[in-house]
Amino acid sequence: METTRIIFDTPLPPWLVATIGLLIVAAALAFALRDTRTINVWARRGIIGMMLLAGLMAVAMALGPTIIRRSPDPHPAEIALLLDGSLSMQLADTYKDDEAAWILSRQEAMEDNGADSDQPPGEPAAGESGEPARAEPGKPRPSRQALVNMVLAEGRDSWLAALAKQFEISAYRFSADVERVTLEGDAAYNLDDEGYSTDLAAALSRIGGGTGGRHPRAIIVIGDGAWNKDDPTTVARSLGMRETPVFTLGVGDPNPPKDAAVNSLRADEAVLLGDEVTLAAQVTTTGLAATTVTVELLVGSTVLESKQIVSLPTGQPTTVHFRHVPERPGRQRYKVRIPLLEGEENADNNSVSTLVEVSERKIRILLLDAEPRWEFRFLRNAFERDPSVQLTVGLTRPGIGPLSGPGYCDKLPTGKDEFMKYDLVILGDIDASTMPAEFLSELAEAVQQGGSALIVIAGKRGHYNGLVGTPLAPILPVRLEPAVLLTRERGQLYGLELSQEGQKHLMMRLASQEDQNAAAWRALPESEWSATVGELMPGATAMIVHPHRTAGGSKMPILAVHRVGQGKVMFMGIEDTWRWRRTVGDKYHYRFWAQAVRWMVKKQFSGDGDPRARLSVDRLRCDVGEQIQIDALCLADDGFPLREAKVWAEVTDSRNTKQRLVMTPGAYGMWQTNYVPKQPGRIRIRPIVSIHGDDPLPTEVEVAVERVNLEKNFLAQNKKSLEDIAAASGGKYLSFIQAHQLAELLSGRAETRINIHPYSPCRHWTFYTVLALLLGGAWLTRKRSGLA
């Protein structure tokens, strides 16, 4: 029966508020009658009428009436049934005791009825290899999907049939999305072919929110609770506040055997000899509490690196990163392994290996200096021992003449063909006036347009200042200033300081761990001299700075790098890196220069295609949903970086999309964006630069996108999650053999609900609008009638 009543939201008795309000309105009208007696009668009536209506509305607003209408819910009571359709339901578990007896009885009943499940009754589920999973006699091992179908089949004769007499039952399958399914007749529930992840929180929110003003009386979730997105407990708590409890039926073994698995291993497909190989392994553990697990990187039987991780008891994957520099060419097989844990029965999934193709092309370096100073000598020795370096040495020796012989050049290169022989030129402490002008101009052109690399190492003689006014000065990462020689007086020694960028850069990594790397740099011998330079050039990055001296408002750069056109340039403002060998030998000196050389010559941006726009991605292989960073190096026709342009990346996968790139602050010519692939396959990326037209330029990179089945990692039923969902919502957790209790637990929710519809007419924007119009109209009429 529908009823309607009115309540007033006022701290005083409503009659008292109404009496006071009406008295105030009467007084205002009496004043208005006396004040408007001299004006036109129609204007007077309009003012009095509008004031009367406004006054009555103000009184009503003070009373705050709320009309409450109560009516029976016209919709039948509904129960929502959520079935886990993710691929973790393919997993099979071994059951015993009461659960085993229940499964065997249901399999017999289904055989007697001729019913089919997703596997033959009594037959263990097939594993991923296609071979049947074995079960001990008397201990059945059905898949979780088969188990849910058994629960539903039993329910058609018992609990599900009992609920159907009182409620309208709506069934849904959930994984990453929610889909309506039918359970009519003997229809079996099937898994989602794309159920690579589970979003139970979104499923509860969507179904619990209802449609068309209709909300389910309760929600039943049947699954293993293995979710890998948002925590559904928060949603369950809000459902409990709306009196929509969630009852969870758990399937799967909540206490699986101990197991540690390396699920995947990703690495670069090909590198140059001496390049660093980066590897990312995905590791999961089940049946373990939060404990420390050892993860090893091996080549053959040799352990290259070992790391300790903390296992996650929920089965969520952990990514472990390794880095290694191969020492020989050819195919290199890397393996990531977890040593067999105590109590672990299955060791088949404890390791994964991958092949990396290591090419032998050597890095061609030209090392030039005026005299064989100590820095020159130790650099030459380091490069001669590096198997991936082909070294040519040039000593100009002013007043004596260049040194000649095997491995030496008797004159500086001056032609394009000669510069093409080298990937990197290291220019030492040579007086610019003794070098041919063609050498400097051709070297600058080889960097800008040919993609060569240049390292300038300053010396105490200050010859680096002689580069001012030469073609090399504009391409250096620092502005040159008059030389100042620092004498080795007491108190002038200083320690090198890494910049924020230098702390993270590959070139500056003396140790694999961040804290160990910082300690290694602090332990290096102090320096006694540094070149005096000005501020950084636009787009340049300082890796090492002077701890006390400044340039351009910042700490003076000692080591700085930047890109110029197609190549890279480094300026090194000290000449005593050879002192880093003290007490540790070649360890840090060799590692730094090996990394610096490789980073300088590495073609980070695609070498093929249009030279006006080069692309780079931070990974050539990724997983669906994993973010890719896209960088674009955009050049003008003169080879210098663009300062103003609009840049897009055309991404082609299952469809074509355009994504805007943003200019990297301070790095002229560099644009950047992030892209998240949604589907597996190969995606193609091409640049579009506004000043070069609206069509993509013929430069492209390809990224292989893989689909990772996270669901196969969840070997255990996440019983705690299911219990938390039920408790937070006011429901109850049940084992699958307790499904028959649902009819009794939910029987009290079939009564007809009373819908309450409150409405406050004086709390609506239209009410306030009319009140404002009446007051404004009365005031405007007074003004037009000549009243104050």
Side-chain angles (χ1 to χ4, degrees), residues 485-537:
L485 301 184
L486 301 181
T487 59
R488 191 174 179 179
E489 298 178 0
R490 187 172 182 178
Q492 291 188 336
L493 294 177
Y494 65 92
L496 299 177
E497 180 179 322
L498 292 181
S499 66
Q500 289 186 348
E501 293 81 1
Q503 294 171 15
K504 304 173 184 177
H505 202 278
L506 168 66
M507 182 170 57
M508 314 304 293
R509 191 183 300 129
L510 300 184
S512 57
Q513 302 298 323
E514 187 173 338
D515 54 345
Q516 297 173 357
N517 184 57
W521 279 97
R522 288 194 299 269
L524 292 179
E526 294 180 312
S527 296
E528 62 178 5
W529 176 86
S530 71
T532 299
V533 296
E535 61 186 357
L536 292 170
M537 296 288 277

Side-chain angles (χ1 to χ4, degrees), residues 600-620:
M600 290 293 293
V601 302
K602 187 174 182 180
K603 306 301 182 186
Q604 178 182 352
F605 290 88
S606 56
D608 299 329
D610 197 310
R612 296 172 296 177
R614 299 295 174 89
L615 290 176
S616 171
V617 291
D618 62 344
R619 62 201 69 194
L620 295 175

Side-chain angles (χ1 to χ4, degrees), residues 45 76 94 213 239 321 339 345 480 492 546 551 564 621 658 676 755:
R45 290 176 181 176
T94 301
L239 290 174
H321 295 277
E345 299 176 2
L480 298 180
Q492 291 188 336
H546 199 291
V564 178
R621 294 167 62 190
K658 283 175 62 176
V676 179
N755 293 330

Side-chain angles (χ1 to χ4, degrees), residues 375-450:
E375 188 76 347
F376 168 86
R377 295 177 183 179
F378 282 98
L379 270 181
R380 181 189 61 191
N381 292 339
F383 293 149
E384 285 177 345
R385 293 198 302 270
D386 192 329
S388 62
V389 169
Q390 177 182 319
L391 180 66
T392 303
V393 176
L395 276 176
T396 59
R397 300 194 302 177
I400 302 176
L403 190 63
S404 61
Y408 285 84
C409 63
D410 53 6
K411 66 182 184 65
L412 299 179
T414 55
K416 289 182 175 62
D417 294 340
E418 295 182 54
F419 277 104
M420 289 290 291
K421 299 177 182 178
Y422 307 108
D423 301 304
L424 169 66
V425 176
I426 301 178
L427 186 62
D429 199 15
I430 304 178
D431 189 348
S433 62
T434 65
M435 293 184 280
E438 310 90 72
F439 167 76
L440 297 175
S441 60
E442 291 290 348
L443 177 56
E445 187 174 336
V447 173
Q448 292 174 240
Q449 300 180 14

Side-chain angles (χ1 to χ4, degrees), residues 604-667:
Q604 178 182 352
F605 290 88
S606 56
D608 299 329
D610 197 310
R612 296 172 296 177
R614 299 295 174 89
L615 290 176
S616 171
V617 291
D618 62 344
R619 62 201 69 194
L620 295 175
R621 294 167 62 190
C622 72
D623 299 333
V624 172
E626 186 176 10
Q627 182 173 276
I628 305 169
Q629 180 176 308
I630 303 173
D631 293 287
L633 173 63
C634 302
L635 308 177
D637 293 332
D638 58 4
F640 276 89
L642 286 175
R643 292 174 179 263
E644 293 183 1
K646 293 181 180 179
V647 182
W648 295 268
E650 182 190 73
V651 182
T652 304
D653 41 26
S654 58
R655 56 193 177 91
N656 274 17
T657 58
K658 283 175 62 176
Q659 191 146 333
R660 181 75 178 269
L661 278 73
V662 178
M663 189 173 187
T664 306

Side-chain angles (χ1 to χ4, degrees), residues 105-164:
S105 68
R106 288 310 308 162
Q107 288 175 339
E108 292 174 0
M110 294 173 74
E111 287 177 356
D112 293 340
N113 295 331
D116 294 326
S117 68
D118 66 327
Q119 63 194 54
E123 185 71 20
E128 291 187 6
S129 63
E131 294 295 327
R134 300 189 178 277
E136 300 177 35
K139 294 182 179 180
R141 187 176 170 80
S143 71
R144 297 173 188 177
Q145 177 190 3
L147 197 57
V148 173
N149 278 320
M150 292 180 195
V151 173
L152 294 176
E154 181 199 43
R156 292 187 180 97
D157 300 325
S158 59
W159 64 271
L160 199 56
L163 289 177

Side-chain angles (χ1 to χ4, degrees), residues 91 263 282 284-286 315 317 708-716:
L91 298 174
N263 301 305
Q282 193 180 77
T284 57
T285 59
T286 54
V708 176
N709 182 7
L710 296 179
E711 292 294 317
K712 69 180 180 181
N713 303 330
F714 297 101
L715 302 183

